[in-house]
Amino acid sequence: MHALLEISGLRKAYEGSGRRTEAIRDLTFSVDAGELVCLVGPSGCGKTTLLKCVGGLLAPTGGDVLLDGRRVGGPPPGMAFVFQEYGRSLFPWMRVGENVELPLRQKKLSKPRRRELVSDALESVGLADAAKAYPWQLSGGMQQRVAIARALAYEPEVLLMDEPFAAVDAQTRADLEDLVRGLWQQRGITILFVTHDIDEAVYLGERVLILSASPTVVQEQLKIDLPGERDQLHTRAAPRFTELRTHVYEQIQAAKREARPGGAG
Ligand code: ADP
């Protein structure tokens, strides 16, 4: 194992219309190759800002993001994103297969290899038969599976997921969570998963980074010592799961109190 992703002293302030919003105060953490790390924190604490800085979509105000020792200055070829808004991330006039294939056109791959990657990725997310459909013919959960397939087909070193299941119903969300853990186990990809849902972070992560309220710092890094094989029924009912989620909840509450003017209270 080595640190694939290193974030050091990251700061981000938004400036505009005479206003300055400090979104990220000082973040330092690393993610090992093959790790599944969840970032959890209250809404507005800077999770999306952080992920955009990590993915090179937004320039930080200070600090560094290194991917495999190389500084990230723009979207690096080794990263893929899955956003919350699946409805806006797929092109409605393109068939599912074409949507998944689109980013591969940037890579120097033969057409048969592209086809192979597309069908393999669609099969991995349980949509082997949907290649010819249009995104709008699919349910929200299926559209998000297409977005995941598109990211997988790209064969990223790191998969960045920004609240990807926040807009789907609870049952679909549970299925998608299991899909992500399954893909992570099968493919050994490195995943950085952002969520404001404490239970989701504990269920999915091998490690959970608890972020403070904005301006953000890492409040705590918590190893999730649940068994590798997890399932919605047993894992969520396990006493250790409850202990961990309670701990995360308390930390987030503490962070909120500390963030209030005047400190605790
Ligand atoms: P989260 O993803 O945790 O909900 P965000 O990263 O979206 O948090 O936002 C963090 C802080 O930065 C918030 O105070 C938000 O209002 C502010 N912010 C986000 N995007 C912008 C922007 N483009 N311009 C100004 N402020 C922004």
Side-chain angles (χ1 to χ4, degrees), residues 6-10 27 60 62-66 71:
E6 288 172 274
I7 286 88
S8 56
L10 191 77
L27 277 181
D64 270 326
V65 175
L66 301 180
R71 191 167 187 197

Side-chain angles (χ1 to χ4, degrees), residues 14 21 23 42-49:
Y14 292 101
T21 309
S43 286
C45 81
K47 300 184 294 297
T48 298
T49 303

Side-chain angles (χ1 to χ4, degrees), residues 12-16 19-24 41-52 58 162-163 194-196 211-212 214-216:
K12 177 67 190 176
Y14 292 101
E15 319 243 3
R19 287 188 54 203
R20 185 172 193 274
T21 309
E22 188 186 17
I24 296 176
S43 286
C45 81
K47 300 184 294 297
T48 298
T49 303
L50 167 64
L51 222 50
K52 283 183 179 167
L58 205 56
D162 187 9
E163 308 233 17
V194 158
T195 179
H196 68 268
L211 301 181
S212 72
S214 188
T216 309

Side-chain angles (χ1 to χ4, degrees), residues 116-178:
E116 190 182 12
L117 286 167
V118 170
S119 67
D120 180 45
L122 283 172
E123 195 177 329
S124 295
V125 301
L127 287 179
D129 300 330
K132 295 267 185 284
Y134 286 97
W136 43 269
Q137 294 176 309
L138 307 177
S139 68
M142 286 163 89
Q143 289 181 44
Q144 197 55 307
R145 282 175 192 262
V146 176
I148 295 171
R150 183 177 55 188
L152 288 178
Y154 193 67
E155 298 188 298
E157 280 177 280
V158 180
L159 182 56
L160 303 173
M161 306 187 86
D162 187 9
E163 308 233 17
F165 311 143
V168 298
D169 64 84
Q171 181 57 57
T172 304
R173 184 176 190 145
D175 292 345
L176 288 168
E177 286 167 2
D178 289 338

Side-chain angles (χ1 to χ4, degrees), residues 4-256:
L4 183 60
L5 203 54
E6 288 172 274
I7 286 88
S8 56
L10 191 77
R11 291 185 290 120
K12 177 67 190 176
Y14 292 101
E15 319 243 3
S17 325
R19 287 188 54 203
R20 185 172 193 274
T21 309
E22 188 186 17
I24 296 176
R25 178 158 292 171
D26 184 5
L27 277 181
T28 298
F29 64 91
S30 62
V31 179
D32 284 343
E35 238 193 325
L36 199 177
V37 174
C38 290
L39 283 160
V40 68
S43 286
C45 81
K47 300 184 294 297
T48 298
T49 303
L50 167 64
L51 222 50
K52 283 183 179 167
C53 290
V54 171
L57 301 176
L58 205 56
T61 311
D64 270 326
V65 175
L66 301 180
L67 173 64
D68 228 353
R70 292 181 305 273
R71 191 167 187 197
V72 172
M79 285 194 203
F81 256 104
V82 178
F83 297 100
Q84 177 182 335
E85 293 157 332
Y86 51 81
R88 286 205 277 163
S89 79
L90 302 175
F91 291 115
W93 61 87
M94 285 183 165
R95 293 177 194 275
V96 162
E98 293 163 341
N99 265 285
V100 175
E101 190 180 347
L102 192 64
L104 301 183
R105 291 175 185 269
Q106 296 171 6
K107 295 191 169 187
K108 289 191 177 68
L109 296 169
S110 68
K111 206 166 180 177
R113 178 63 185 148
R114 286 207 306 260
R115 293 257 157 91
E116 190 182 12
L117 286 167
V118 170
S119 67
D120 180 45
L122 283 172
E123 195 177 329
S124 295
V125 301
L127 287 179
D129 300 330
K132 295 267 185 284
Y134 286 97
W136 43 269
Q137 294 176 309
L138 307 177
S139 68
M142 286 163 89
Q143 289 181 44
Q144 197 55 307
R145 282 175 192 262
V146 176
I148 295 171
R150 183 177 55 188
L152 288 178
Y154 193 67
E155 298 188 298
E157 280 177 280
V158 180
L159 182 56
L160 303 173
M161 306 187 86
D162 187 9
E163 308 233 17
F165 311 143
V168 298
D169 64 84
Q171 181 57 57
T172 304
R173 184 176 190 145
D175 292 345
L176 288 168
E177 286 167 2
D178 289 338
L179 175 72
V180 166
R181 277 214 47 104
L183 291 170
W184 171 71
Q185 281 174 325
Q186 288 156 25
R187 295 186 175 233
I189 32 178
T190 308
I191 302 180
L192 190 56
F193 189 106
V194 158
T195 179
H196 68 268
D197 184 316
I198 295 167
D199 288 42
E200 182 166 76
V202 172
Y203 181 73
L204 280 180
E206 296 297 295
R207 192 152 59 93
V208 170
L209 301 187
I210 305 167
L211 301 181
S212 72
S214 188
T216 309
V217 297
V218 176
Q219 175 91 359
E220 190 188 334
Q221 305 208 23
L222 184 68
K223 182 165 169 36
I224 302 299
D225 52 2
L226 294 168
E229 291 304 321
R230 300 182 192 174
D231 71 77
Q232 297 284 346
L233 210 54
H234 299 98
T235 305
R236 285 179 190 269
R240 185 64 186 143
F241 181 85
T242 311
E243 281 170 22
L244 289 164
R245 75 168 299 284
T246 303
H247 180 80
V248 176
Y249 182 79
E250 284 168 353
Q251 287 299 310
I252 289 178
Q253 292 305 315
K256 280 192 199 164

